[in-house]
Amino acid sequence: MRKLSPAVTAQLDHAIKDVLKTTKTPGVTVGLWAPGKGSYVRAFGTADKATNAPMSPRFNMRVGSVTKTFTVTALLRLVDQKKVGLDDPVSKYVRGVPEGDRITLRHLAQMRSGLFNFTKDPDFGKAFVADPNRTFTPSELLAYSFKHPVAFTPGSAFQYSNTNSHLLAMVVEKVTGQSFDRYVEHDVVRPAGLKDTFMAHGTEFPAPRAHGYTDQTADGSTVDATEWNSSVTGASGAMISDLDDLRSWASTLTEGKLLSPATQAERMKMKPAGPEGLSYGLGVFDNHGWIGHNGSLPGYQTVMVRLPSAKATLVVHTTSDIAFHGEGLDTKFTKAVTSIVTPKNVYDIKVP
C-alpha cells in the first residue's frame, strides 16, 4: 500500500509529536492503513529510558484488554460448534458465581453481568502493588470479585469488569478440556493467520520489545513495569502482539472471518456503554464508528480499531499507562490521529 500524502503525513507527525511531548509519553507506535488513501506506520520516542534506544514499529507489545476480543472469539467459536449457548447461565459451567443462575455467557461477553471488577478491590490493589511479580490464580482473582454484591440485575446495565473475561476463559476450559491458552492458540490465533500473537505466561515478553512505565506503585512513583507478572491479566489482558498482527486481526474481528454470519451478527449487536458515541457488543466496542477494543495494563496501552465504512484500520501502542489530566494516553494519540484522517469519526473516550 502506498503512503499517505506528504501533507497528511506531516500533519500526523506534528500531532503525534505534540501529544508525545505534552504528555511526556516515553514512546508510541502508530499504524494506519486506509485503502485508496495510503498507509502511515511510524514510531516516536524511546523504547528504553535507561539507554534512550529508539522505538520501532516492529516491536512486540503488551496489548492489555485487546485480549478480550480473542477471549470472546474463543467462546463464539464454541457457540458455532453448538458446544455452548450464549444464553446459558454461567452456573452451568462454573460453580460459586454470585447470581450465576441469572448471569448468562452473553451477559459476561457484553460486560452486563454486574459482577464486581476484581481490579477495583482494595485488597487486590494492596496485594498487587506489594509484589507485582506475584503469580495470581484465576480462583484468587475471582475471590476478590465475589466478596462484593452484584451491582444490578444481570443484563440491565453496562459495567466494565475484567471478572467477566476470566469467567469466560473458565467456561472454555470446562467445555474443551484444554487450557484456555492452548485453545486460543489452536482455535483462534492460528486460524486467523497471526504469527506474533500469543498469551503470555508470567513475565514472558520476548524481544524485540519496548520497555513500559507505570505509576501503579505503592508511593505513586514511576517505575519500569516491562517484566511484571502478567498472570493478573490472563484472559482479560495478557496477550502480546505487534502492529502487523493487530492490523490483520482487526479485519478478521470486524468481518467475522472465524465465525458464522449468525454468530458474527450477535457479536456486533451494540448497546450503549456509558459515554455518548460509545457502545459495546460481545467483546468489541463501537467508538464513534471505529470498531475494536482498547487495552491498558501497567506500562502499556493499546488501541486496535477498524472503520468499516472506509475499510481503514488503526493501531496505536504507548509505552506508558500514566493518565494525562485524567485521560488515557491511548485515547490522546488515537483522538489526535482520527481528528486529522477521519474528522467525521473521531475516536474519543470521555472520562465521566
Side-chain angles (χ1 to χ4, degrees), residues 12-272:
L12 289 172
D13 284 350
H14 177 77
I16 293 167
K17 289 177 181 178
D18 183 61
V19 175
L20 191 79
K21 181 179 179 180
T22 301
T23 61
K24 298 182 180 180
T25 304
V28 63
T29 58
V30 178
L32 172 68
W33 301 268
K37 295 184 178 180
S39 65
Y40 176 92
V41 180
R42 286 277 209 275
F44 300 88
T46 181
D48 185 346
K49 293 199 289 187
T51 65
N52 209 32
M55 285 291 290
S56 167
R58 303 276 76 86
F59 282 157
N60 294 318
M61 299 288 279
R62 297 192 187 279
V63 303
S65 289
V66 173
T67 301
K68 292 179 173 70
T69 63
F70 292 88
T71 297
V72 174
T73 299
L75 175 77
L76 296 179
R77 296 270 282 177
L78 294 176
V79 170
D80 272 341
Q81 296 167 27
K82 302 191 184 307
K83 294 182 178 178
V84 301
L86 279 173
D87 296 312
D88 289 347
V90 66
S91 61
K92 181 176 178 180
Y93 307 98
V94 183
R95 295 180 179 179
V97 180
E99 302 287 345
D101 291 340
R102 302 173 67 193
I103 295 172
T104 66
L105 305 188
R106 186 190 301 273
H107 293 149
L108 296 174
Q110 289 176 325
M111 297 291 175
R112 302 178 78 86
S113 70
L115 290 169
F116 188 84
N117 187 352
F118 68 83
T119 61
K120 301 295 185 182
D121 179 77
D123 292 332
F124 165 78
K126 292 176 184 177
F128 178 70
V129 299
D131 183 10
N133 291 313
R134 170 180 168 179
T135 296
F136 288 86
T137 67
S139 294
E140 287 175 323
L141 297 176
L142 293 179
Y144 288 114
S145 170
F146 293 173
K147 66 182 182 180
H148 297 270
V150 175
F152 47 76
T153 301
S156 65
F158 175 88
Q159 179 177 282
Y160 194 84
S161 175
N162 292 301
T163 303
N164 297 325
S165 302
H166 284 263
L167 282 169
L168 289 178
M170 295 174 75
V171 171
V172 170
E173 291 186 334
K174 175 73 172 180
V175 172
T176 66
Q178 302 178 42
S179 72
F180 179 71
D181 295 0
R182 178 178 173 81
Y183 182 79
V184 169
E185 168 67 21
H186 287 270
D187 286 72
V188 180
V189 172
R190 289 187 185 178
L194 307 181
K195 299 178 180 179
D196 298 305
T197 301
F198 63 94
M199 191 78 72
H201 300 279
T203 60
E204 182 184 7
F205 192 1
R209 66 185 186 182
H211 286 248
Y213 302 89
T214 188
D215 62 356
Q216 292 191 48
T217 54
D219 59 2
S221 60
T222 298
V223 299
D224 187 329
T226 309
E227 296 186 0
W228 282 15
N229 196 313
S230 62
S231 65
V232 66
T233 54
S236 67
M239 295 195 86
I240 289 173
S241 190
D242 62 14
L243 282 183
D244 285 341
D245 267 13
L246 289 189
R247 174 195 179 187
S248 176
W249 178 242
S251 174
T252 297
L253 183 71
T254 56
E255 295 177 17
K257 295 177 182 177
L258 297 183
L259 303 177
S260 68
T263 299
Q264 176 67 5
E266 291 297 314
R267 168 151 65 188
M268 300 300 288
K269 289 180 179 178
M270 304 286 178
K271 292 187 175 183

Side-chain angles (χ1 to χ4, degrees), residues 315-342:
V315 180
V316 175
H317 292 299
T318 72
T319 60
S320 171
D321 67 313
I322 301 173
F324 182 76
H325 294 171
E327 187 173 23
L329 298 178
D330 56 338
T331 297
K332 291 285 291 184
F333 283 103
T334 308
K335 184 177 181 179
V337 171
T338 56
S339 294
I340 294 169
V341 297
T342 56

